[in-house]
Amino acid sequence: MKDDMPTSANDKDANMWGMFVHLGIMAGYVVPVAGLLAPILIWQLKKDEYPIVDQHGKVVVNWILSSLIYIAISIPLMLIVVGVFLAAAVGIASVVFAIIGGLKANSGEVWPYPGSIAFFK
């Protein structure tokens, strides 16, 4: 969104909910499985009210599914130590990507996570 364009309260609310979708991933670090459920629930509840939340939800769910695949691949690779580093990288990327995605969502931008497989477009 450009700085010279006035933003309505509706746009600010949509951006806020988009940010919550991204930051919902980190709920899993507080309550197990909440990192999977919170973003999906927010996305499903708000996507009809705010179309941009639908775009953010797809980005986040694509990352959740991709990260689960990457973790599944890393488990057998832990036998040769490489999987430990892959699992750690996925964990760090999940936090960093959620923060970046949340900040960009709050400013009205949809940011696709790098390395994410596009299951939903």
Side-chain angles (χ1 to χ4, degrees):
M1 217 177 267
K2 294 182 181 178
D3 291 334
D4 59 345
M5 294 178 63
T7 57
S8 69
N10 195 30
D11 290 340
K12 288 181 181 180
D13 288 345
N15 293 344
M16 179 189 65
W17 283 109
M19 179 182 68
F20 289 156
V21 171
H22 290 277
L23 297 180
I25 292 174
M26 294 193 300
Y29 294 108
V30 178
V31 177
V33 188
L36 300 173
L37 298 178
I40 294 170
L41 287 173
I42 295 168
W43 171 39
Q44 291 301 311
L45 292 172
K46 294 295 181 178
K47 71 179 184 178
D48 294 329
E49 188 176 349
Y50 305 110
I52 195 164
V53 173
D54 187 39
Q55 295 173 0
H56 290 294
K58 289 175 184 176
V59 166
V60 170
V61 171
N62 284 339
W63 173 251
I64 291 171
L65 294 174
S66 299
S67 66
L68 289 174
I69 290 169
Y70 297 147
I71 293 295
I73 291 169
S74 73
I75 291 171
L77 290 176
M78 287 182 184
L79 294 172
I80 56 173
V81 183
V82 175
V84 174
F85 297 109
L86 178 60
V90 171
I92 292 167
S94 290
V95 172
V96 171
F97 291 170
I99 291 169
I100 294 171
L103 291 172
K104 291 197 179 264
N106 199 33
S107 66
E109 183 180 342
V110 177
W111 181 68
Y113 294 7
S116 182
I117 303 166
F119 295 103
F120 298 97
K121 295 181 182 187

